[in-house]
Amino acid sequence: WYFSSRGFFSHLKSAWSTIGIGIMFGKHAFIWGGSFALKRETFRKMGIREQWFNSISDDTVVTRSLRKNKLKIFFVPKAISASFDKTNWPQLKEWTNRQIFFVRNDDYKAWRDAFIVYGFFNLTLLTGIVSLALGLFDSRFFILGILLLLPQLFTLIRNYFRNNSIAKLLPEYKKYFKQNRGKTLFADLLVKPLAMYNLFKTRRMKKIKWRGREYAIK
């Protein structure tokens, strides 16, 4: 769980990363790199070590192999740990683009579906904002704008309760949840536009940057 320790973009990274938390509770749960456990017998049987030699991401390989072998992925909320983050805009772009690129590279169908879903959400959001502006001249547009923006309100409410639930799992960080709550919820308003940017940016991406190095993906 990310806590911001500098500037707005750290809050936005924290808000953006919670997309994965919601997915982890459903049937589309995935392996979170560097934070998963797998039986050695299963690891060897699926040939994970050999697959890693030609992979750009450890977690996507394991996720794909588990699904191929029809094995379930279980998310353990108590395993969530705290991470204090300092991120600027260039770093945020690089990190979020890379995460979405991994999805496109290993599960194109999921990437395509996300493009459609987030495209719809962002179109609704933009139309709602424009309708509210037009509502200054015609009240009918104002009502339409309110209706179109209701899903965004419900998202904020859901995230508020989700943050509170995670806070109960990390009681020693209570003060940090309290300090970050308002700013992270505000940053939630920009998560869908940022995710749409990532999806659009990665549609033809051939290279990624990681820890100061650039990798060409074949």
Side-chain angles (χ1 to χ4, degrees):
W1 189 267
Y2 287 105
F3 291 107
S4 171
S5 56
R6 186 191 69 186
F8 174 74
F9 294 112
S10 289
H11 290 293
L12 184 52
K13 180 178 181 179
S14 178
W16 191 97
S17 67
T18 59
I19 294 174
I21 294 291
I23 298 173
M24 295 300 282
F25 286 99
K27 63 179 180 179
H28 298 295
F30 55 90
I31 292 297
W32 194 277
S35 183
F36 65 91
L38 189 66
K39 286 185 178 180
R40 182 180 300 180
E41 176 186 347
T42 304
F43 180 87
R44 290 175 173 172
K45 183 178 179 180
M46 294 193 303
I48 299 298
R49 182 174 180 271
E50 291 73 21
Q51 292 184 64
W52 274 347
F53 281 114
N54 297 309
S55 174
I56 59 171
S57 173
D58 59 341
D59 47 359
T60 52
V61 168
V62 180
T63 298
R64 184 174 62 243
S65 296
L66 289 171
R67 289 174 178 171
K68 183 179 180 180
N69 287 274
K70 297 183 179 180
L71 296 174
K72 293 183 178 181
I73 299 171
F74 292 94
F75 176 50
V76 183
K78 288 185 178 181
I80 293 176
S81 60
S83 178
F84 289 85
D85 183 73
K86 294 181 179 181
T87 298
N88 57 31
W89 173 235
Q91 291 170 333
L92 180 63
K93 286 193 299 180
E94 179 184 318
W95 183 76
T96 53
N97 283 337
R98 187 170 62 243
Q99 301 306 311
I100 297 300
F101 175 82
F102 289 157
V103 176
R104 199 211 72 180
N105 190 66
D106 285 274
D107 192 345
Y108 180 79
K109 183 179 181 298
W111 178 89
R112 182 198 63 194
D113 292 346
F115 201 107
I116 295 171
V117 170
Y118 277 94
F120 173 76
F121 278 135
N122 279 283
L123 180 61
T124 301
L125 179 62
L126 180 61
T127 305
I129 293 173
V130 171
S131 297
L132 281 182
L134 293 174
L136 296 174
F137 309 99
D138 188 330
S139 60
R140 290 175 297 179
F141 284 105
F142 185 80
I143 296 173
L144 175 62
I146 293 295
L147 293 174
L148 289 171
L149 293 176
L150 274 179
Q152 184 66 46
L153 176 61
F154 293 145
T155 297
L156 290 176
I157 294 173
R158 180 200 63 191
N159 291 348
Y160 173 82
F161 285 109
R162 179 177 59 196
N163 289 5
N164 285 345
S165 297
I166 301 299
K168 292 178 181 179
L169 298 174
L170 297 168
E172 65 271 35
Y173 297 99
K174 181 179 180 180
K175 70 174 184 177
Y176 296 107
F177 275 101
K178 187 175 181 180
Q179 290 172 1
N180 284 265
R181 183 178 290 118
K183 295 175 182 177
T184 301
L185 286 175
F186 175 75
D188 276 330
L189 297 172
L190 297 177
V191 167
K192 289 184 177 68
L194 176 57
M196 193 67 229
Y197 164 80
N198 301 138
L199 289 160
F200 185 81
K201 191 73 175 179
T202 57
R203 71 194 194 286
R204 292 196 181 103
M205 187 180 288
K206 300 293 183 182
K207 296 180 180 181
I208 62 169
K209 289 183 178 181
W210 201 342
R211 296 186 181 275
R213 296 188 177 187
E214 190 171 73
Y215 297 85
I217 309 302
K218 297 181 179 180

